[in-house]
Amino acid sequence: MPLVGTGDIVAPAARTGGGVGAFNVIQLEHAQAIVAGAEAAGAPVILQVSENTARYHGALTAVGTATLAVARAARVPVAVHLDHATSVDLVHEAVELGFTSVMFDASALPYEDNVLATAAISAHCHASGIWVEAELGEVGGKNGVHVPGARTDPAEAAAFVAATGVDALAVAVGTSHAMPTRDAAPDFPRIAALRRAVPVPLVMHGSSGVADHDLTAAVDHGMTKVNIATHLNRVFTTAARRALAADRALVDTRHYLGAGRTAMTHEVTRLLAVLKSPVARKPTDP
């Protein structure tokens, strides 16, 4: 099944009340694990490459091209998304590479500056048919600081969407990036109020810190795109550590990275069920 537009995955889920898993890619094994997990679930998925990951690899081109190749070979609908981009040049590069969406993050700017910068990105991306996500109400957790931050105001969110023309909005509802534990407390009444006020799908960042039952509840209250990165990295790394501990003579990276990839595949399949992701095809064994 070919690479698809992000909106082609998110919009139907928003209409039916399902959730869409958006999982971060750091190495090739991450992309392979995410797609294999989605294929096992028979569900669509979004592969995300963050600005930090592009920086880690030295540029977006290599990791972005590899991620797009994995997406194009998938047997379920897969979109490729640039996550948390603060650089306009990086957004333009993602569009040129063939990414199907971008998340432009100007949430740290004053409101009016955020609107102006985001509107310009929306205009540029929409000219190429690229779906755009933005953030209003900065989600905590960047640089290891775990604070819930201010909640996004529903009326302001509706005005922001109207002024910028974005296709989805990431909102602050009590989650925090890079949490090592799953005890965040999403503000469900706030999610429901935002869903009523905002005419585009809502996105929850920092979802690694949210327990399974609360992930499902967040979808039930109106979240559609749910971003998970740290939790899957923990699953991957735990499996790799076990493989290394079991064989201290192990030097072939394929064996311990392969163990991490397999563990991550199973967790992606499980999470897509937790998120009530719509089924795109008959599930298969991973």
Side-chain angles (χ1 to χ4, degrees):
M1 193 169 290
L3 178 72
V4 303
T6 303
D8 294 334
I9 294 176
V10 175
R15 287 194 297 269
T16 59
V20 172
F23 305 129
N24 281 47
V25 171
I26 298 177
Q27 281 99 18
L28 177 60
E29 288 82 4
H30 287 73
Q32 293 170 327
I34 294 164
V35 168
E39 289 175 340
V45 76
I46 299 171
L47 301 178
Q48 302 196 142
V49 179
S50 71
E51 182 172 291
N52 285 339
T53 291
R55 186 178 300 115
Y56 166 79
H57 287 284
L60 181 62
T61 303
V63 65
T65 300
T67 301
L68 286 162
V70 172
R72 291 188 176 108
R75 292 180 287 118
V76 291
V78 179
V80 177
H81 177 76
L82 177 66
D83 192 39
H84 275 292
T86 60
S87 164
V88 172
D89 288 342
L90 190 66
V91 169
H92 291 182
E93 184 179 0
V95 171
E96 292 169 4
L97 282 173
F99 278 47
T100 60
S101 59
V102 304
M103 186 268 188
F104 182 63
D105 186 1
S107 61
L109 298 177
Y111 177 80
E112 293 298 336
D113 292 339
N114 188 353
V115 167
L116 290 172
T118 304
I121 289 292
S122 291
H124 176 82
C125 291
H126 288 163
S128 298
I130 305 301
W131 191 90
V132 179
E133 173 188 334
E135 183 174 312
L136 184 65
E138 190 173 8
V139 178
K142 289 296 183 183
N143 302 314
V145 179
H146 300 296
V147 292
R151 302 290 194 269
T152 302
D153 176 77
E156 187 174 66
F160 181 86
V161 169
T164 59
V166 296
D167 303 292
L169 187 67
V171 290
V173 293
T175 58
S176 185
H177 288 105
M179 283 188 68
T181 57
R182 302 186 72 196
D183 53 4
D187 186 337
F188 298 120
R190 180 64 57 119
I191 294 172
L194 285 161
R195 177 66 280 154
R196 291 191 296 270
V198 177
V200 298
L202 299 178
V203 183
M204 188 162 75
H205 286 236
S207 305
S208 288
V210 181
D212 284 354
H213 63 280
D214 283 340
L215 287 174
T216 303
V219 171
D220 288 340
H221 282 81
M223 280 293 171
T224 301
K225 179 173 176 279
V226 178
N227 291 15
I228 299 176
T230 299
H231 172 66
L232 289 173
N233 285 337
R234 184 168 58 247
V235 168
F236 188 108
T237 303
T238 298
R241 284 196 179 109
R242 286 174 180 158
L244 289 165
D247 182 358
R248 295 190 178 277
L250 184 61
V251 295
D252 190 331
T253 60
R254 290 172 294 186
H255 293 293
Y256 58 86
L257 293 179
R261 181 175 61 187
T262 298
M264 188 171 170
T265 293
H266 291 302
E267 185 63 2
V268 165
T269 300
R270 194 189 70 80
L271 285 171
L272 289 171
V274 169
L275 296 174
K276 302 168 69 172
S277 189
V279 174
R281 61 185 297 276
K282 183 178 179 180
T284 61
D285 293 330

